[in-house]
Amino acid sequence: MKRIVYIALFYCGCLLTPSCVGDLDQFPHTETTSENIYNSIESYYQVLAKIYTAMVTTGQEQNGSEDLSSNKGFDYMRCYFNLQEVGTDEVAYTWLSGETLTDISNLSWDATDVWVSDMYYRIYYNIALCNEFLRHTTDDAIAAFSGEEQATLRTYRAETRFLRALFYYHALDFFHNIPFVTENDPVGSYIPPRYTARQIFEFIESELTAITGTEAEGGLLNRDECPYGRASQGAAYALLARMYLNAETYIGETRYTECVTACNRVIEQGYTLEQDYAKLFNADNDKRTNEIIFTLPVDATTTVSWGASTYVVCAAVPTSMAQNSVGVASGWGSMRMRGAASAQFGNDPRGMFITEGQTQEVTDMTDESEGYVVTKWSNVTDAGETASNTAQSGVNTDYPLFRLADVYLMYAEATARGGQGGSMDQAYQYVNALRNRVGAEEIPNWEAMTNDGCIFFLAERLRELYWEGTRRTDLIRFNRFTTNTYLWEWKGGTQAGTGVDDRYNIYPIPSTELTANPNLYNENY
């Protein structure tokens, strides 16, 4: 069963409570946790489950007991998807005003934006959960347990360090220069220092290296040993690869050789491509552990979420469609794809769209008939059955964060950009392996991938990874997010599209946080 870690959440109770639940003008931290929580392996496991599920749920119950009082009240991954996708060419959003997404869509937000604020506090709430767990897994803290139990707890500790590194990476990618706090800092009224993007980059790098290195006692498990839904060594290497690929954005230096090395480490774990692309995003995608490296389980019974994959599946279905091929009881009618993006698919079968009755170009964002309908994500099993009643409990489709296909593309792009440790022949084979599995036309030669600053990879990543939460980061890496170099409908708030100030490559730290922490400031807002 795919719900191994997450079922434990429901026996966990409210183990960790943020002091700032009702007051977002404070830096999130956790109150001192009662010592009787950490008195058995089972209780540690339950807290670990809480940290994992904090990415896909809002709290202990779907309609109550929220971890944070926030502006929109949605989970981590719904915030993440909106900040990574809604402002790009991949999403045309219908209910911009009602969902307060107009400024995100138009690339015109400021430090008071509600989605930016919610993402920021979700990230730091999750970091606080990690820090609290790490305070209780030091050698001294676990000394009373047996040797075997200590080994298990050290593995839990390594997973928590990975999750904290992932949260810090998201903070780095969105905000760059950010507050930094670890388990070694005081709990309570402590005001964290401002760390530069380079300092955060180096911290993440050191953490991921430590929990995957051969010298690490109780480091992350390898792929074959790691239970479903938990972080393995492959996940850590995939996160390193993504950070290295975008290093120039963060620290002004390229790290393509390091990216190739990290990709090779993932590939050495023995992952293989799933031959049916669509099955990576259906309700049985927990069976795709051959390709999916790290995923967030979502379940209509045990891990209900109105964000994460439920959001992506249901929001793509027009309100005019009743029960349908993607297993949604009633569509939300929120999202389609803008024409500038869908036009780049041509005859590529990865473009899983409903085009009948839809225009490709979007002239009116509020018109559900404009922009192709995306059917890539579904709530349908391999047998073609609807997995759950989405009107009552969301989908049964898990949310993949890292896939082998992404690693292949990172390897190829980093090699094409001069990274050492790989070969262009291998890069060529990896890219064509992705195209061959769906029957798309092969790339004729590897030189075709290196023209015009390797721009080929921006389009290829669109075709392979659309609606998986990478588009904004990719566009920024290619200097296409804010500039006039590439335009799409309603970029910058005009139908024809326009460039915007390059400050929008970085989200601002919320104004409430600037008030609470005098160490912080936004450079361009």
Side-chain angles (χ1 to χ4, degrees), residues 40-359:
S40 68
I41 290 290
E42 290 74 19
S43 63
Y44 274 93
Y45 182 74
Q46 290 162 9
V47 179
L48 178 66
K50 167 66 178 179
I51 299 172
Y52 275 106
T53 53
M55 295 190 72
V56 296
T57 64
T58 58
Q60 294 303 122
E61 299 174 7
Q62 183 57 40
N63 296 310
S65 300
E66 287 83 5
D67 293 326
L68 291 174
S69 295
S70 61
N71 299 290
K72 302 301 292 186
F74 290 114
D75 64 290
Y76 190 109
M77 288 308 297
R78 184 158 176 168
C79 295
Y80 183 81
F81 183 92
N82 284 345
L83 265 60
Q84 278 286 64
E85 298 284 359
V86 170
T88 77
D89 55 342
E90 288 191 354
V91 171
Y93 207 92
T94 309
W95 316 109
L96 289 175
S97 178
E99 286 294 299
T100 328
L101 280 167
T102 301
D103 290 341
I104 298 296
S105 179
N106 293 344
L107 309 185
S108 60
W109 56 78
D110 60 23
T112 65
D113 187 272
V114 294
W115 286 101
V116 175
S117 179
D118 284 2
M119 182 78 267
Y120 178 90
Y121 285 112
R122 279 286 169 192
I123 289 172
Y124 276 97
Y125 173 73
N126 287 4
I127 289 172
L129 294 181
C130 293
N131 286 340
E132 180 69 5
F133 187 84
L134 294 173
R135 290 185 184 102
H136 290 272
T137 50
T138 62
D139 287 345
D140 288 343
I142 64 175
F145 289 91
S146 70
E148 183 178 352
E149 289 173 329
Q150 287 186 35
T152 298
L153 291 172
R154 289 192 177 96
T155 298
Y156 293 173
R157 180 178 177 86
E159 292 179 51
T160 304
R161 291 173 72 182
F162 165 80
L163 290 169
R164 183 176 63 178
L166 176 65
F167 302 143
Y168 266 123
Y169 173 70
H170 290 162
L172 168 67
D173 186 58
F174 285 139
F175 303 103
H176 283 211
N177 304 305
I178 54 177
F180 179 70
V181 61
T182 72
E183 73 276 19
N184 298 317
D185 294 314
V187 175
S189 59
Y190 175 72
I191 298 178
R194 178 184 188 264
Y195 263 39
T196 65
R198 178 178 292 277
Q199 288 173 301
I200 297 297
F201 184 101
E202 291 174 349
F203 171 77
I204 296 169
E205 182 181 37
S206 66
E207 285 288 279
L208 296 175
T209 300
I211 58 178
T212 55
T214 56
E215 78 283 354
E217 180 183 357
L220 291 175
L221 300 174
N222 62 36
R223 175 197 170 202
D224 294 334
E225 299 171 325
C226 191
Y228 183 81
R230 286 167 56 186
S232 67
Q233 292 179 24
Y237 286 126
L239 178 54
L240 271 172
R242 186 170 292 178
M243 187 173 72
Y244 286 140
L245 184 66
N246 294 284
E248 190 168 15
T249 297
Y250 309 135
I251 63 174
E253 299 174 6
T254 60
R255 294 291 176 86
Y256 298 126
T257 294
E258 291 88 343
C259 179
V260 173
T261 299
C263 290
N264 282 330
R265 294 290 181 268
V266 177
I267 294 166
E268 289 167 1
Q269 293 276 315
Y271 295 97
T272 59
L273 292 180
E274 165 61 40
Q275 289 309 302
D276 189 334
Y277 179 77
K279 288 183 177 180
L280 291 161
F281 312 99
N282 74 1
D284 280 333
N285 65 350
D286 58 298
K287 301 175 182 177
R288 320 302 169 212
T289 54
N290 54 316
E291 177 171 342
I292 295 175
I293 298 164
F294 181 59
T295 194
L296 303 176
V298 174
D299 185 273
T301 302
T302 59
T303 318
V304 180
S305 174
W306 298 122
S309 46
T310 296
Y311 180 49
V312 183
V313 174
C314 295
V317 178
T319 55
S320 59
M321 292 177 65
Q323 189 69 43
N324 47 71
S325 61
V326 295
V328 172
S330 58
W332 297 359
S334 301
M335 299 187 288
R336 296 91 59 213
M337 181 175 282
R338 304 192 210 198
S342 60
Q344 297 180 51
F345 284 81
N347 296 321
D348 194 311
R350 288 172 292 187
M352 301 172 68
F353 308 131
I354 294 174
T355 61
E356 185 177 356
Q358 300 291 128
T359 64

Side-chain angles (χ1 to χ4, degrees), residues 86-89 104-108 338 362 365 475 479-500 505:
V86 170
T88 77
D89 55 342
I104 298 296
S105 179
N106 293 344
L107 309 185
S108 60
R338 304 192 210 198
V362 178
M365 291 286 271
L475 286 166
N479 198 30
R480 300 296 198 274
F481 187 55
T482 58
T483 66
N484 279 308
T485 307
Y486 171 48
L487 300 177
W488 53 84
E489 309 100 299
W490 297 105
K491 177 178 180 177
T494 66
Q495 198 281 324
T498 186
V500 298
N505 286 324

